[in-house]
């Protein structure tokens, strides 16, 4: 996979689409990896190790850009720390926790609600104009998520609510939507500087959660599969996908590249079926189609903003 990405980096626009398919494929695999990790790791511990190893790996490459970018970083350092701690860390902590109680397919489809949550935040906090077609798209997306989370029986939400895993995942999505919303105030710095601050802040945020988890149940040495899963989440969803997405944005622009993020629930669902053997039921298909239709309607109706940084996936 890394050789494939390297060859794509050496190309031009023709390879942008390959890179922008690789990135959501790896992000979709993160939900599957999180589900596999439940057999060997506790959710908070694996999240903490992920961001510790990622920050250590990125530091040699980020050191030079950090020194050059420091004058621009310093005025907004607390913003960047907050994005890593309350956005990236909390999303991952809650997503891995949710995967102990629900399926990787559900988690993948529920992540697709993120664009709608970001649109809602823009409307509530920035009074950004919302068109009626966007409202229809929002309602379609929310119904698709509800259909998935209630196993095709949305009426159950009124009597039984959501199961624990799906409820936790939707809270995780709120944290990540907040992270994406906050990116509009990100300083103009090298993406490597940005990623290292995000990764190190996320690690610091996870320390008390992992400490509480280990104090309660102790640490048991994972098997070989557990270490392979950890290695995957450190290298691929955390590093390689960011490289691929950043290069794709550079080649074709952020607006066009951002659309490829909508492939995450499709790839995540497919990988959950192929790798985990999870059953893809009719309500998963219906929920996925409703979510994607809602996003498409909202994108079609949106007033295109000035070019801005598109956040990478989870």
């Amino acid at each position: 996979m890394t050789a494939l990405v390297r060859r794509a980096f050496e190309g031009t626009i023709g390879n942008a689409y390959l890179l922008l398919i690789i990135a959501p494929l790896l992000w979709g695999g993160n939900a599957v990896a999180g589900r596999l990790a439940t057999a060997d790791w506790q959710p908070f511990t694996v999240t903490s190790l992920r961001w510790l190893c990622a920050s250590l790996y990125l530091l040699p490459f980020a050191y030079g850009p950090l020194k050059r970018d420091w004058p621009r970083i310093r005025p907004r350092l607390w913003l960047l720390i907050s994005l890593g701690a309350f956005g990236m860390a909390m999303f991952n902590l809650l997503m891995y926790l949710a995967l102990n109680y629900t399926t990787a397919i559900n988690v993948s489809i529920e992540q697709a609600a993120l664009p709608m949550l970001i649109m809602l935040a823009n409307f509530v906090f920035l009074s950004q104009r919302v068109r009626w077609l966007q409202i229809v798209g929002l309602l379609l997306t929310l119904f698709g998520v509800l259909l998935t989370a209630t196993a095709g029986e949305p009426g159950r939400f009124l009597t039984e609510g959501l199961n624990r895993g799906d409820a936790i995942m939707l809270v995780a999505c709120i944290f990540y939507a907040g992270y994406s919303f906050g990116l509009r105030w990100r300083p103009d710095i090298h993406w490597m500087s940005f990623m290292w601050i995000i990764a190190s802040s996320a690690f610091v945020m996870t320390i008390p959660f992992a400490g509480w988890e280990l104090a309660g149940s102790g640490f048991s040495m994972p098997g070989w599969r557990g270490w392979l899963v950890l290695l995957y989440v450190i290298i691929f969803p955390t590093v390689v996908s960011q490289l691929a997405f950043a290069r794709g944005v550079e080649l074709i622009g952020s607006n066009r590249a951002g659309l490829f993020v909508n492939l995450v629930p499709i790839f995540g669902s497919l990988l959950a079926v192929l790798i985990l053997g999870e059953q893809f039921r009719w309500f998963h298909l219906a929920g996925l189609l409703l979510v994607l239709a809602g996003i498409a309607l909202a994108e079609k109706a949106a007033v295109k903003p000035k070019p801005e940084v598109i956040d990478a996936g989870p």
Side-chain angles (χ1 to χ4, degrees), residues 97-310:
L97 178 62
L99 284 162
N100 285 267
Y101 306 105
T102 191
T103 65
I105 293 177
N106 278 30
V107 163
S108 298
I109 294 174
E110 286 155 5
Q111 284 184 72
L114 284 168
M116 296 295 100
L117 291 173
I118 296 165
M119 184 193 80
L120 210 55
N122 286 330
F123 172 72
V124 171
F125 295 106
L126 299 179
S127 300
Q128 193 173 94
R129 182 183 176 188
V130 177
R131 298 181 173 182
W132 70 269
L133 205 57
Q134 289 176 288
I135 296 173
V136 173
L138 172 63
L139 294 174
L140 278 176
T141 299
L142 292 178
F143 186 70
V145 169
L146 182 63
L147 196 67
T148 301
T150 57
E153 299 179 41
R156 283 171 43 191
F157 176 70
L158 299 175
T159 57
E160 302 174 23
L162 299 175
N163 81 48
R164 185 186 303 180
D166 294 311
I168 291 170
M169 188 59 208
L170 291 176
V171 174
C173 288
I174 292 172
F175 276 103
Y176 197 81
Y179 165 82
S180 302
F181 177 74
L183 283 175
R184 66 179 56 247
W185 293 285
R186 170 194 150 167
D188 183 19
I189 58 176
H190 192 278
W191 76 271
M192 190 66 79
S193 302
F194 175 75
M195 275 306 302
W196 186 83
I197 295 173
I198 293 297
S200 56
S201 302
F203 165 62
V204 172
M205 183 66 171
T206 62
I207 291 174
F209 291 91
W212 171 80
E213 192 174 62
L214 292 172
S217 54
F219 176 78
S220 57
M221 185 63 68
W224 63 269
R225 188 180 69 172
W227 290 107
L228 285 178
V229 168
L230 178 62
L231 195 63
Y232 171 84
V233 299
I234 292 167
I235 295 174
F236 294 104
T238 310
V239 178
V240 174
S241 61
Q242 308 291 349
L243 287 168
F245 192 78
R247 178 60 172 160
V249 168
E250 184 182 335
L251 290 172
I252 68 170
S254 60
N255 286 337
R256 291 166 66 192
L259 296 174
F260 285 81
V261 177
N262 296 329
L263 293 173
V264 173
I266 296 173
F267 284 139
S269 301
L270 182 62
L271 291 171
V273 172
L274 294 177
I275 296 174
L276 301 176
E278 292 184 357
Q279 286 191 324
F280 193 79
R281 308 287 294 279
W282 70 266
F283 55 83
H284 291 129
L285 178 60
L288 186 60
L289 291 176
L290 284 168
V291 164
L292 294 178
I295 292 170
L297 281 177
E299 286 290 333
K300 183 178 179 180
V303 177
K304 297 301 180 185
K306 293 179 181 179
E308 60 181 58
V309 176
I310 295 289

